[in-house]
């Protein structure tokens, strides 16, 4: 990708541009598109590579525990995800999950928890996972059923989690469960709305949730099902059957789990938009190269005005999404609230990337739907981003709610 003028935007500092250039050169040499490989093995290898090269240090907060900085730099996270996604979707996934899976420890872990896990995450020696969703509790966190009962110096967990990325290969899971010690109200008492939950607005049904670090080898934790999706990556349903863990592995205070979850997602939600940008930029690069060399009716595909119009629309849409994405990342790094801005970025970038990639597939014609062709892989990779960490419809509700609040 020759044109990187966006790195000169006022959202960035010189160190961000240097970071992107270094990572881009590293990824070009070290990261390759996987074809028919064992996804678990490929993901483990990518985590090791990213750790050994020092890139995972940016996903961890606290220089004393292996992090690049004392606090996570949202712009750096976004540039890393965009760059990795442009090269390889699984590489982006591997990086993102190390950040999301350990983010609650960076933000809320005590000294012992941070020292036990964060340096290993940063070195790529421990794989992290974030276990929030359940079969009946996705966007509606207040419907959570997984339970944690205090028993002396331990907690006993019972229930299920699903759609858990890195499920089956993780060394530990940050698990959210209803904590009887927090005097939680029953789920039926919650007057929850998806927008409120996704944006961090606690309801009566979310106040009794706590967060826990659960090692993968904890007795009573099992991988109930490995889930196959259109863009393969490690994904599983977890089952907790009298899973006993030390009470010291709780993150934060009892009943603080919703706050832990939302604060963690707040750090990484804008980076989902950045990953979508990476997919979209790769699709545009592929489309431009194809249009220039594809002969048709005595000229190239790029000579047709219809093609030129479509390329113009793709490029303009990408820049629009990038401006929203890096505005949100910059605002967060200034310590400002980004609930609305992050929702705008996530919604716009993921929807835009879907449209750009679809246009690229169309431009390639039959080749665009051949299995494992670059644009075909992008078509599968982008679809989930419009759903996870708050579906597009949830982002719309968040934006509207914030607008109404601001003008009340």
């Amino acid at each position: 990708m020759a044109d990187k003028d966006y790195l000169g935007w006022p959202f960035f500092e010189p160190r961000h541009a240097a970071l992107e250039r270094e990572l881009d050169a590293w990824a070009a040499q070290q990261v390759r598109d996987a074809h028919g490989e064992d996804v678990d093995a490929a993901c483990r290898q990518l985590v090791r590579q990213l750790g050994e090269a020092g890139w995972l240090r940016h996903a961890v907060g606290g220089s004393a525990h292996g992090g690049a900085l004392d606090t996570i730099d949202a712009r750096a996270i976004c540039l890393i995800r965009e760059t990795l996604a442009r090269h390889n979707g699984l590489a982006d996934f591997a990086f993102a999950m190390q950040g999301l899976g350990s983010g609650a420890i960076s933000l809320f872990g005590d000294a012992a928890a941070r020292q036990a896990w964060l340096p290993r995450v940063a070195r790529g020696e421990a794989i992290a996972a974030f276990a929030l969703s359940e079969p009946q509790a996705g966007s509606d966190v207040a419907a959570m059923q997984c339970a944690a009962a205090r028993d002396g110096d331990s907690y006993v967990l019972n229930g299920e989690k699903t759609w858990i990325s890195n499920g089956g290969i993780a060394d530990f899971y940050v698990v959210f469960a209803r904590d009887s010690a927090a005097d939680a109200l029953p789920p039926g008492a919650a007057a929850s709305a998806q927008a409120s939950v996704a944006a961090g607005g606690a309801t009566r049904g979310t106040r009794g949730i706590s967060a826990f670090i659960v090692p993968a080898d904890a007795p009573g934790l099992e991988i109930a099902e490995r889930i196959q999706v259109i863009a393969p990556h490690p994904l599983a349903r977890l089952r907790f059957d009298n899973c006993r863990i030390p009470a010291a592995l709780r993150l934060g205070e009892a009943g603080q789990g919703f706050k832990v979850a939302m604060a963690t997602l707040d750090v990484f939600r804008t980076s989902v938009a950045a990953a979508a940008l990476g997919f979209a930029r790769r699709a545009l690069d592929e489309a431009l190269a194809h249009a220039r060399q594809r002969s048709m009716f005595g000229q190239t595909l790029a000579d047709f005005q219809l093609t030129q119009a479509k390329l113009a629309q793709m490029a303009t849409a990408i820049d629009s999404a990038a401006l929203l994405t890096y505005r949100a990342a910059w605002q967060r790094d200034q310590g400002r609230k980004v609930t609305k801005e992050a929702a705008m970025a996530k919604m716009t970038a993921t929807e835009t990337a879907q449209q750009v990639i679809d246009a690229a597939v169309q431009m390639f014609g039959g080749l665009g739907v051949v299995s494992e062709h670059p644009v075909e892989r992008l078509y599968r990779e982008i679809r989930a981003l419009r759903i996870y960490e708050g579906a597009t419809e949830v982002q719309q509700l968040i934006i509207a709610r914030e607008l109404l609040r601001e003008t009340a």
Side-chain angles (χ1 to χ4, degrees):
M1 183 178 178
D3 181 10
K4 294 186 179 180
D5 289 345
Y6 63 93
L7 292 174
W9 289 352
F11 299 124
F12 301 115
E13 299 169 30
R15 63 186 174 86
H16 292 114
L19 175 74
E20 194 281 340
R21 285 192 294 267
E22 185 182 352
L23 176 58
D24 193 34
W26 178 86
Q29 294 294 322
Q30 301 296 327
V31 176
R32 58 188 177 83
D33 289 332
H35 297 276
E37 293 184 8
D38 180 281
V39 173
D40 288 359
C43 195
R44 289 190 182 99
Q45 180 182 351
L46 284 164
V47 170
R48 284 195 298 271
Q49 287 179 279
L50 289 164
E52 289 170 359
W55 302 115
L56 291 179
R57 295 175 62 240
H58 295 277
V60 170
S63 54
H65 302 104
L69 300 168
D70 285 334
T71 58
I72 293 175
D73 183 332
R75 288 167 292 174
I77 289 284
C78 287
L79 281 173
I80 291 171
R81 289 202 65 181
E82 178 183 331
T83 304
L84 290 174
R86 198 170 69 244
H87 284 276
N88 179 286
L90 194 60
D92 164 63
F93 166 84
F95 175 84
M97 284 312 305
Q98 288 296 92
L100 182 63
S102 67
I105 302 176
S106 291
L107 294 170
F108 293 91
D110 59 21
R114 291 175 180 174
Q115 190 56 45
W117 293 108
L118 296 183
R120 296 177 60 200
V121 169
R123 293 192 298 264
E125 297 170 359
I127 295 177
F130 185 83
L132 179 65
S133 296
E134 297 183 4
Q136 301 301 321
S139 296
D140 185 6
V141 180
M144 185 178 294
Q145 298 293 319
C146 187
R150 185 70 183 257
D151 183 16
D153 292 333
S154 300
Y155 270 96
V156 179
L157 276 63
N158 283 283
E160 289 192 349
K161 294 290 176 180
T162 194
W163 308 117
I164 307 308
S165 292
N166 277 345
I169 70 167
D171 293 289
F172 69 94
Y173 300 85
V174 171
V175 178
F176 298 86
R178 292 201 165 277
D179 183 357
S180 58
D183 193 26
L185 290 169
S192 65
Q194 284 187 330
S196 176
V197 169
T203 65
R204 295 174 67 208
T206 61
R207 285 201 291 265
I209 295 171
S210 292
F212 306 90
I213 303 171
V214 182
D217 59 359
L221 166 59
E222 64 173 301
I223 306 302
E225 176 189 13
R226 290 301 299 271
I227 302 171
Q228 303 301 317
V229 289
I230 59 175
H233 66 272
L235 193 67
R237 176 168 58 89
L238 313 180
R239 179 179 295 123
F240 301 88
D241 185 6
N242 290 322
C243 176
R244 184 176 292 271
I245 60 170
L249 293 182
R250 189 184 67 208
L251 288 167
E253 300 299 322
Q256 204 176 29
F258 184 77
K259 176 183 176 181
V260 172
M262 294 304 110
T264 305
L265 290 170
D266 182 54
V267 174
F268 293 96
R269 180 171 287 126
T270 303
S271 78
V272 180
L277 283 176
F279 292 143
R281 292 195 200 277
R282 174 68 181 274
L284 179 57
D285 288 348
E286 296 286 344
L288 284 165
H290 178 69
R292 286 194 182 99
Q293 62 85 31
R294 175 73 164 94
S295 296
M296 184 178 289
F297 302 111
Q299 54 187 341
T300 67
L301 185 59
D303 291 321
F304 289 92
Q305 288 184 337
L306 280 174
T307 304
Q308 294 170 15
K310 183 56 68 177
L311 292 170
Q313 291 169 358
M314 294 162 75
T316 302
I318 289 172
D319 264 16
S320 299
L323 285 163
L324 286 172
T325 299
Y326 288 110
R327 176 188 69 167
W330 173 80
Q331 284 190 206
R332 193 184 190 287
D333 285 341
Q334 309 312 305
R336 295 165 60 180
K337 181 182 177 183
V338 293
T339 300
K340 180 181 67 178
E341 291 79 7
M344 287 179 170
K346 202 268 185 184
M347 176 183 72
T348 302
T350 55
E351 293 294 329
T352 290
Q354 180 81 65
Q355 294 161 12
V356 168
I357 293 167
D358 184 73
V361 169
Q362 192 74 9
M363 207 171 291
F364 272 88
L367 283 176
V369 292
V370 172
S371 181
E372 295 303 324
H373 188 282
V375 295
E376 184 271 342
R377 285 200 306 275
L378 290 167
Y379 194 83
R380 288 185 284 112
E381 292 278 5
I382 189 56
R383 192 57 187 87
L385 272 67
R386 295 168 59 204
I387 298 172
Y388 75 70
E389 291 196 36
T392 292
E393 292 76 13
V394 172
Q395 306 308 320
Q396 291 171 335
L397 294 176
I398 293 170
I399 295 163
R401 190 198 67 173
E402 290 300 306
L403 286 171
L404 291 168
R405 176 181 294 170
E406 291 168 0
T407 57

